[in-house]
Amino acid sequence: MRILAVDTSAVCAAVAVTDGEKVLSESQTNTGLTHSRTLMPMIDSTLKNAEIPLSSIDAFACSVGPGSFTGIRIGVAAIKGLCDGTDKKCMPVSTLEALAYNLLGRSCTAVSVMDARCNQVYCGIFAVDENSVIRLTEDEAIKIDELKKKLPAYENVVFVGDGAKICHNALGYGIAPPALLYQKGSSVALCAERNYSEAKLLKGSELLPVYLRLPQAERELKAKQNLT
């Protein structure tokens, strides 16, 4: 299955085109530019580099969160539009699970972490070996102090994601090498390839973001309401 995969869940934006588990073309940018500026040109150039027209893509894969509220919305909206324009279907992928696929091929406990601010991270824990990624915990927003209590239960912990340096500095444990630290479109595609059959594909209209917690403005409003 030819997949076009995108991830806009954090500062890093990533796009890949794969055929089966073969990566045909991949793009990644981590410059801080808004995804509304960079995503569609990245998709266009990635398809051109693969020498594949959009019409030959069989399905789309999208990281739907957790992560940046605005970033996730941009990626989801783009994939919805591509699904509508091509009459193709899509596969939603957990940002944290896709990050664990960055470490596929090494034997470790991948602790995917994204900076959620306020001393919190979005976190998912996965058993990784040469051939597989197995989910051990559900995705959650968790304080770093609470994560510290969980990790002694696991062996060979390796942090991956944009919260990895924060957690490594605070808690120790291993950290993914720089080339594997951030979101990769090929990991989103591989995660989708291994988790979805043709029967499980979604229509673009069914693709929804996964936030795990309320946006900051809503959290602040609730806090004010609780004080009155």
Side-chain angles (χ1 to χ4, degrees):
M1 186 189 323
R2 282 183 175 174
I3 296 174
L4 189 154
V6 307
D7 190 312
T8 57
S9 59
V11 174
C12 178
V15 178
V17 174
T18 62
D19 191 350
E21 295 192 359
K22 179 182 179 182
V23 181
L24 300 179
S25 180
E26 184 164 19
S27 303
Q28 184 187 56
T29 180
N30 199 5
T31 60
L33 294 175
T34 59
H35 300 321
S36 58
R37 287 180 55 189
T38 60
L39 181 59
M40 296 312 294
M42 286 176 67
I43 289 173
D44 183 57
S45 64
T46 305
L47 285 166
K48 286 179 177 176
N49 289 336
E51 297 188 331
I52 289 175
L54 181 62
S55 59
S56 73
I57 294 296
D58 296 310
F60 301 99
C62 180
S63 174
V64 294
S68 159
F69 294 90
T70 301
I72 292 167
R73 285 195 295 268
I74 290 170
V76 168
I79 293 301
K80 281 178 177 284
L82 291 172
C83 287
D84 290 344
T86 60
D87 199 28
K88 302 290 176 66
K89 292 187 176 181
C90 60
M91 297 165 278
V93 171
S94 159
T95 306
L96 298 170
E97 186 171 1
L99 280 166
Y101 273 88
N102 288 10
L103 301 178
L104 186 68
R106 62 189 295 175
S107 180
C108 66
T109 300
V111 180
S112 300
V113 281
M114 298 179 67
D115 186 5
R117 310 287 177 85
C118 302
N119 201 39
Q120 282 190 322
V121 289
Y122 299 118
C123 177
I125 302 176
F126 305 84
V128 180
D129 61 23
E130 185 176 348
N131 299 305
S132 65
V133 172
I134 299 172
R135 179 179 287 279
L136 301 178
T137 69
E138 294 301 313
D139 296 348
E140 62 179 335
I142 186 173
K143 289 189 177 294
I144 293 176
D145 288 344
E146 291 299 314
L147 179 59
K148 180 180 180 179
K149 299 174 184 177
K150 285 191 171 189
L151 294 184
Y154 302 100
E155 296 182 355
N156 196 16
V157 167
V158 178
F159 291 119
V160 61
D162 68 11
K165 291 180 181 178
I166 297 170
C167 291
H168 172 70
N169 291 339
L171 308 177
Y173 298 101
I175 187 170
L180 302 178
L181 197 58
Y182 300 104
Q183 285 82 349
K184 294 170 64 70
S186 55
S187 292
V188 175
L190 182 56
C191 183
E193 181 85 29
R194 294 196 175 187
N195 284 303
Y196 285 88
S197 63
E198 191 74 27
K200 292 172 65 178
L201 300 184
L202 303 182
K203 296 178 182 178
S205 59
E206 298 174 309
L207 188 67
L208 297 173
V210 176
Y211 295 133
L212 291 188
R213 66 178 190 178
L214 294 172
Q216 183 176 351
E218 291 187 39
R219 296 198 307 270
E220 291 177 352
L221 177 60
K222 278 198 166 188
K224 289 179 180 178
Q225 290 173 339
N226 289 336
L227 291 174
T228 58

